[in-house]
Amino acid sequence: MRLAVCVVLTVMATSSVASAQAPSKSPADSPACSYLTKEDAAVALGEAVKGPNATSMGKGKASACEYEGSGLHRVQLNVMPMDTATAAMYKAMCLKKTREGLTGLGDVACWYNDKHGELQVLKGMTMFSIDLSKSGDPTEAIKGVARKVYERVK
């Protein structure tokens, strides 16, 4: 499982246990779904999409938003607010990864791996990752989604 998704899920699970509340599945409660629209997902996948499938741990906490196309095609956005120490650690980790073609996409932006199916971005104290699965090379589609999300993240 990818590192960003693991981090988000770990934070979500920890927050869930600490608050003794189940995460919300309502797109209205998910900040991630306010950053990734159905139209953005359809453009990225090049087809109609279903969704969103959302998860949120509450205001100011980790959230996720996913849209599905045909077959295994999907785009998922994970958003996680960070404190100063966590953001610094993430920034250091990201600087060790591949960053070609990512200028202007955040304070730090990096590819999870050489396949370009996941992009991780830090804007201020918010980390977001975009996981995109579709036919062909996902590079330009995922960068397009990242630009839209980056504009919307406060």
Side-chain angles (χ1 to χ4, degrees), residues 9-152:
L9 292 176
T10 299
V11 169
M12 290 175 133
T14 303
S15 297
S16 181
V17 170
S19 66
Q21 296 180 19
S24 173
K25 301 269 186 209
S26 170
D29 293 338
S30 175
C33 286
S34 69
Y35 303 142
L36 178 63
T37 68
K38 190 170 194 168
E39 293 77 22
D40 297 337
V43 168
L45 295 178
E47 62 185 280
V49 296
K50 296 175 191 168
N53 297 318
T55 305
S56 177
M57 294 310 301
K59 187 174 178 150
K61 307 237 186 235
S63 64
C65 188
E66 179 181 65
Y67 293 91
E68 297 176 354
S70 62
L72 298 175
H73 296 182
R74 67 178 187 83
V75 60
Q76 179 173 333
L77 173 65
N78 299 298
V79 177
M80 188 169 70
M82 296 185 160
D83 60 30
T84 304
T86 306
M89 182 177 66
Y90 171 77
K91 192 180 245 185
M93 178 191 72
C94 197
L95 288 172
K96 294 178 183 178
K97 294 185 177 186
T98 310
R99 297 183 312 280
E100 76 272 350
L102 301 177
T103 303
L105 285 179
D107 299 340
V108 176
C110 58
W111 295 109
Y112 176 76
N113 62 30
D114 293 337
K115 294 181 182 182
H116 295 186
E118 182 178 339
L119 178 60
Q120 301 169 343
V121 178
L122 181 65
K123 180 178 182 181
M125 300 301 285
T126 302
M127 189 281 284
F128 65 89
S129 69
I130 301 164
D131 187 6
L132 191 139
S133 299
K134 70 176 228 164
S135 300
D137 184 357
T139 303
E140 292 308 313
I142 202 168
K143 285 172 30 178
V145 171
R147 284 185 197 92
K148 295 286 188 180
V149 171
Y150 182 80
E151 292 171 4
R152 294 175 186 134

